[in-house]
Amino acid sequence: MSMARKMLGKKAASNTADVSQDAGEGNDASAVEVHKGSHVAVHGVLGDAIDDTGEALEDIKDAMDRAMEQNDLPDVVNQGEAKLEQKPDDVKFDHFEFSLSALAFEYVGKETSMYCFFGIAIVPNVPRTRTKLSVLPQFTSALHLESKEKMTLQIPDVFYDRKLLAVRDEDLDKFELTITMWRISNWTFNTYHGRAVKKLSVIASRDPNMAIRVFEVLSKKDLEEKIKNRRPVSDVAVFHANITLEQMFDFKLFYENWSLTQRSDHPKYKERAKQLQHITFIIPKSASSDASTKRRCQTPTLEKRAGVAKVRGNDIVWETQWSSSAVMATFRGTKSSLQQQYFIGHAYSTPTFVAAMSTNIGSVLMNLRSVLDTSAFKSRVKSLNSGMSGFKVGDLDGNIRVVVCPLGKEYANKSPEFQQPKLSNSVFHLSSSEKHLVVCITKCEHLAAADEEKGTSSPYAAVSWDSTVQYTPTLKDTLRPVFNHTFYFPVRFFNRKVLERRYKDFLQDELVGNKRVIKIDLWHEEETSAAHLGQASLDIKAILDSNQVLRRTIRGAVKSSEGDDDDYPERGQGKRWYDEIKEVKVYDGSQTPLMGGRFSNNAQAVIKFEAYFWPEWHISASWDDASEDLDSETRFWQEKEKQFLAANAQFADDYANFFPDAIGAKEPQVSSLTKGDFRTFPCLALHPDTQEPVPLTRFLTAVDMPRDLSRPAMLLHWISNITFKMSSRQERTGLIKDDMWRDPATFMHTKIGTPQDHAILLCSMLISAFDAYVVKGTIRAGKKLVEHAWVMTRDRSGWITFWEPTTRELYHLPKRWSPKKRKARLPAVEEKKDEEEGDAEADDAEEEAVEALRDSMEAGVVSDTLVGGDDEDLPTVGRAPRPKQRAASAQSSREKSKQEMIAQREKVPTAPKQELLREDSTLVDWLPYDSIDVVFNNQNIWANHQNHHPACITYDFEECKTLGQTDVDEDATKTAGWLAFLSDEERKTCKLDPINFQVIGETAWPRNIVSQKQEQLIGDICENIRLLRSKSGFDSTFDQRTQLHSQLELFVDMHETLRSLDIDHCPIFDKKREQWTESETYLFEVLLKQAERYNRQGSAFTAKASAGEDDQFEAMKDLIRVDERRSWSKLLRQIEEFRKRKHIFPTKKEKKFTGFPLHFSTTAKDTIRNYLMSNDEFFKMVHESNEDVLLTVYCKIFPLWGGFSSTWLFFGTQLPLD
């Protein structure tokens, strides 16, 4: 017998003997369970004693299991000797990282206290499972637990630290994590008291912070008695732990379409403008890589390219593009380890005449936290070589395309079945070589009650620093949550030299940016959204200047030697790097008040936390307190607002002189004395954190969106699936007050918001690729005029496009601006040959325009308001009364003077522009908007000083006048159709940075979460239908066959595809109706419900490029057209497939199937239930009196980026044919 087998036999026998001895004189059930525990111990010894050799070793384990029952272990080992020499089969395994740390223990048994310890092991629950698992069992120290009291560990106790498991993902449900509870006796043997089991498949798809219930171990007789009496097994303890099980992948990172844009005010801008430039990336290979030192990193380089002049707004910049080349790097690890990493880019410039002389012009650091959510990256390139004036070199932006492959494979992986939510308090993925900001949140008190029915809240905390946000678990139904949660933020700089003393000015500039303020937000979690409970903020200067120096590990406080008797003894203190003790400056945030929040609160909500840098950061914070700067900034904005409102009030008065009854003449300032309609010109809103007034421009920030949302119609479909909800105050007043604007990060977090929230987010997603703006105007809600917000983009070919998030519609207006204009002037009008002839031609043109408008609006698609007043002879947009017929031969002097007044009034700046009312080229009479008041982007705000209607004005913001500007040219004053809030000089000096720089959306829900939500919705709705029908005296019979659901799935897929398409690209309208196929006819009559293109003048995305248009923008429109064409073809294929399978639709015999689909932008059961109760079709189905009716409920959820979903419900009935 070999040495390995001798050692194996001795170790296995001794382990079995030891555990059996511990069982002692316990009851029969304990002995049986202990025998299973010895089984686990033998498996652990097997993995430790010999190498795992695949199938041969598994056969030995299985044979040993059988031998343990027959007490014949040595012979079985002998039988497996030959198999050890054989090569294992080529079985492909997935690889997982397993980590477990205990957080708290709780005894819930009948006794007053319990002296015990816990055992932890992973065991198979299926015989003869082929596996490579080799995990030794672990045990806690002895614990003294009081009944009904939770023993929380201040520092989590680590049992498994990133243990590698080799197992197929489909086999995870064949293994289980076993928690055993052992009662300690001082006089006899320890007894087996409790047991809990969790399948690995469940762990891999649940929140890492788990509360595992440990159930009492019963004898066979007691268990049979409980089953007989239908009594549940009692639980004796709760094991609180952080358990992570993450699959490992090879992430293929493709760096594509990178460009460097240099700042024109840089001192070396002209010198480097036309030099050859290249960029070298330092990309990590694994979790142990360090990009700052290039340790275990890849360093690909993009080829040298010369710069190209580009127009950005009104400026000309020099841009270097590497769009035709790409580099690829591979990162091996879990998703969490990838998101903890970062890469560095070094930009170099080379003179064209000396190719070997490359100079480093700057570096950039980009975190990979959002690489799995979005492909777009952008950051500021900085340099320490040119002084403070040359510190900021420019911007580097590009895309990183990620292909997720199984470990060691070159092909892409399917979407993983198991996926855990993101975690923040684990130290397993941190790098020991980095400095970290540590924020430990202990608890909160006196929180507001967000749930009025229960009088409680379900709070969780979100901590943000350096453009990174992390979260605690949610604690249900409490106003005094105890989190004991620790956050870790790595401290990173583009260049480590910035920490040197000679670069202290550079360091201060870095810190005052995103790294200055730590924000802690408390949120109440609802089913599909969140509500704000309060916020606390901390300047890192308070940490750096703290006088309190304490001993800390990175995981938290260190227990003193004179601890309480019930202190939990730490295991292996100091053995790991994260248990190393250091002295650091600690900021004590005990009793810090929480400010703000949506709900009223009689008491002051407070939070207890502490923050420190680990290891200690020995720098001095030399910047001043920001409160004085904030006060002066507030005064400046308030003064600008007064000037802005005064100028707009004067404009309204001038408007009323010519058109007293038009919307443009309405009072611009709403007060208690305001009666009727109104028209406001907002420019400031309240900062969500400080509640100080800030310009609306700061609510916008560039949001990197995923590649699959780049098509306009798909983007509108996505944003329409974020739930709309207005406050009761906005619904009552119809006004968008200054406290009703929110930034994209807050909106994405709450997952529910107003139309202006949707407009802010949509504009932020478009602003990087389009010339995008947020528009505030008015619409009619019944007879009332209410404020509304939407998005506008300007195409360089002269088109204006309105994006309406609430209805997913695009409205295109041609010839509304001139990109090449530089001087203020009105659009060209036809020259007059002489005064009389010109007046006659104008009268004829006016009559023709009125007749054309009257005829075109006969159908009245959108009832709009008069443009330019109530005079019947002025052109209108909308339904207008037929003008009285006048005899051509009988024009009195009074009629002539009237026509002269009309002609004069048409020339004022507030009149509709005649050239925009030509039916054959420019007329747009299908807009749902009544006025356009204010337009803003992330640079400025403009007030509309033209006609109030958006279809009758131009959008040349370059021709605006500035607030406070003194116009010496009266004609120029008349032609300035827009009033700018800020001048060019003020934009350079004012603080216009976004409120939140980085907005990161959640990944789409995995398949197991989607399936779970679908089943819950179907079950809940079916139960509601049964209840409703039973109240009416009807029985409910459901037909939920798989074949039927399969057919309905195809029908729902067609509707989902249609919602993400632009009707302007629909190919069937390019053919005659006689040429339509049956599928195209079905599309028009059934899905489109005979709707046609409403943009009769064309579309900005389908129009041909104009001379001088940007090639890059035209290429983007080509991609949009190609994607739309493919998507419409996909829909037609789905229709064809559905029609082919219609004749085999699985309807019951002698019955006819009918039904209707409903779409929801939420999965909240209460919201869906409330809507269904008001739906006529659902009401008719529920009250169907035929006793032979069969009901069908089908649900399909399409997960979307950001944690949103497109939810479809289909309700079907089968009735007898007669």
Side-chain angles (χ1 to χ4, degrees), residues 441-448 459 478-483 522 533 590-594 601 603-608:
I441 298 181
T442 306
K443 62 180 179 178
C444 297
E445 294 180 347
H446 310 302
L447 293 181
T478 177
L479 300 180
R480 303 182 64 184
V482 178
F483 292 109
L522 267 294
L533 297 175
S590 301
Q591 303 301 311
T592 300
L594 292 169
N601 194 358
Q604 175 61 61
V606 295
I607 184 172
K608 180 180 180 181

Side-chain angles (χ1 to χ4, degrees), residues 39 43 46-47 50-66 76 80 83-84 86 88-89 91 93 123-124 126-135 166-168 171 174-175:
H39 168 84
H43 275 229
L46 278 169
I50 59 176
D51 294 333
D52 194 344
T53 57
E55 184 180 1
L57 182 57
E58 294 305 319
D59 289 344
I60 292 180
K61 291 181 182 179
D62 294 336
M64 289 181 63
D65 294 343
R66 297 191 301 270
V76 175
K83 290 195 175 184
L84 282 174
Q86 300 174 4
D89 293 339
V91 180
F93 289 96
V123 297
V126 178
R128 299 185 60 84
T129 300
R130 300 174 63 185
T131 178
K132 290 188 177 181
L133 291 185
S134 177
V135 182
V167 58
R168 288 185 294 267
D171 290 340
K174 299 179 182 178
F175 294 87

Side-chain angles (χ1 to χ4, degrees), residues 130 291 396 426 467 477 503 520 566 588 705 910 1161:
R130 300 174 63 185
L396 181 69
S426 172
S467 301
D477 301 330
Y503 296 119
I520 305 175
D566 60 348
D588 187 1
M705 59 182 174
T910 53
S1161 60

Side-chain angles (χ1 to χ4, degrees), residues 340-342 365 367 434 466 490-494 510 515:
Q340 288 287 335
Q341 281 292 342
Y342 64 98
L365 183 146
N367 291 310
E434 288 186 308
D466 195 14
V491 181
R492 293 166 177 167
F493 296 99
F494 72 98
E510 279 279 274
K515 294 181 173 65

Side-chain angles (χ1 to χ4, degrees), residues 322-490:
W322 295 276
S323 58
S324 62
S325 61
V327 296
M328 191 272 285
T330 301
F331 179 90
R332 173 166 291 187
T334 64
K335 291 185 176 181
S336 295
S337 59
L338 173 65
Q339 293 171 329
Q340 288 287 335
Q341 281 292 342
Y342 64 98
F343 69 93
I344 293 177
H346 295 298
Y348 296 89
S349 183
T350 305
T352 56
F353 54 88
V354 187
M357 294 180 57
S358 294
T359 304
N360 186 303
I361 62 175
S363 302
V364 63
L365 183 146
M366 296 188 187
N367 291 310
L368 291 171
R369 176 169 289 273
S370 61
V371 70
L372 297 175
D373 303 325
T374 178
S375 62
F377 283 78
K378 182 177 181 179
S379 188
R380 183 64 53 83
V381 179
K382 301 174 183 178
S383 174
L384 301 177
N385 302 327
S386 303
M388 283 301 299
S389 61
F391 179 49
K392 299 176 181 178
V393 177
D395 295 318
L396 181 69
D397 61 277
N399 299 93
I400 302 179
R401 181 167 55 90
V402 183
V403 177
V404 182
C405 303
L407 205 64
K409 305 295 184 297
E410 296 298 328
Y411 54 85
N413 187 65
K414 61 183 174 81
S415 178
E417 182 72 23
F418 305 103
Q419 181 176 336
Q420 284 188 300
K422 296 179 180 178
L423 66 157
S424 59
N425 66 332
S426 172
V427 297
F428 305 132
H429 299 288
L430 303 182
S431 173
S432 60
S433 62
E434 288 186 308
K435 190 184 301 295
H436 292 84
L437 168 67
V438 183
V439 181
C440 306
I441 298 181
T442 306
K443 62 180 179 178
C444 297
E445 294 180 347
H446 310 302
L447 293 181
D451 191 331
E452 296 180 357
E453 296 181 359
K454 297 181 179 179
T456 60
S457 296
S458 297
Y460 65 93
V463 181
S464 58
W465 184 72
D466 195 14
S467 301
T468 303
V469 184
Q470 299 180 22
Y471 305 95
T472 68
T474 302
L475 302 182
K476 298 292 184 180
D477 301 330
T478 177
L479 300 180
R480 303 182 64 184
V482 178
F483 292 109
N484 285 328
H485 197 92
T486 305
F487 300 88
Y488 307 101
F489 297 90

Side-chain angles (χ1 to χ4, degrees), residues 797-986:
S797 58
W799 286 82
I800 293 293
T801 301
F802 290 148
W803 305 58
E804 180 50 61
T806 60
T807 59
R808 313 183 325 277
E809 291 178 328
L810 293 163
Y811 303 103
H812 301 280
L813 293 75
K815 301 181 181 179
R816 273 3 188 233
W817 79 295
S818 303
K820 296 183 179 181
K821 287 184 180 180
R822 287 296 179 264
K823 295 181 180 180
R825 59 181 179 86
L826 280 172
V829 297
E830 295 182 3
E831 296 181 359
K832 302 178 182 178
K833 296 182 179 179
D834 56 85
E835 190 69 23
E836 295 181 359
E837 184 179 356
D839 290 342
E841 290 179 357
D843 291 342
D844 294 340
E846 178 185 340
E847 290 293 332
E848 292 175 2
V850 172
E851 284 294 323
L853 282 168
R854 177 174 54 80
D855 295 337
S856 66
M857 292 304 297
E858 203 66 37
V861 177
V862 177
S863 180
D864 217 330
T865 56
L866 287 176
V867 176
D870 57 351
D871 197 292
E872 63 180 11
D873 292 312
L874 282 180
T876 62
V877 176
R879 184 168 297 168
R882 180 183 293 272
K884 296 179 181 179
Q885 299 296 326
R886 296 189 297 272
S889 60
Q891 286 195 357
S892 63
S893 59
R894 180 180 177 182
E895 188 69 24
K896 289 182 179 180
S897 62
K898 181 179 180 180
Q899 293 298 327
E900 290 176 0
M901 292 176 60
I902 293 173
Q904 182 181 3
R905 190 161 64 169
E906 288 178 357
K907 296 179 181 179
V908 299
T910 53
K913 300 187 183 300
Q914 295 293 316
E915 62 276 9
L916 302 182
L917 301 177
R918 298 183 180 128
E919 187 177 9
D920 59 340
S921 59
T922 59
L923 176 65
V924 175
D925 57 4
W926 49 85
L927 295 182
Y929 314 115
D930 287 81
S931 74
I932 183 169
D933 310 327
V934 166
V935 173
F936 64 91
N937 61 5
N938 58 348
Q939 296 295 323
N940 211 337
I941 307 169
W942 295 269
N944 177 23
H945 279 199
Q946 303 172 80
N947 187 268
H948 63 272
H949 198 279
C952 301
I953 61 176
T954 57
Y955 295 85
D956 297 297
F957 301 133
E958 294 78 9
E959 300 179 356
C960 66
K961 60 182 177 181
T962 305
L963 191 63
Q965 173 183 345
T966 303
D967 294 293
V968 296
D969 186 355
E970 184 177 354
D971 293 334
T973 304
K974 292 181 179 180
T975 59
W978 295 91
L979 173 66
F981 181 63
L982 296 173
S983 64
D984 293 340
E985 292 75 15
E986 288 173 331

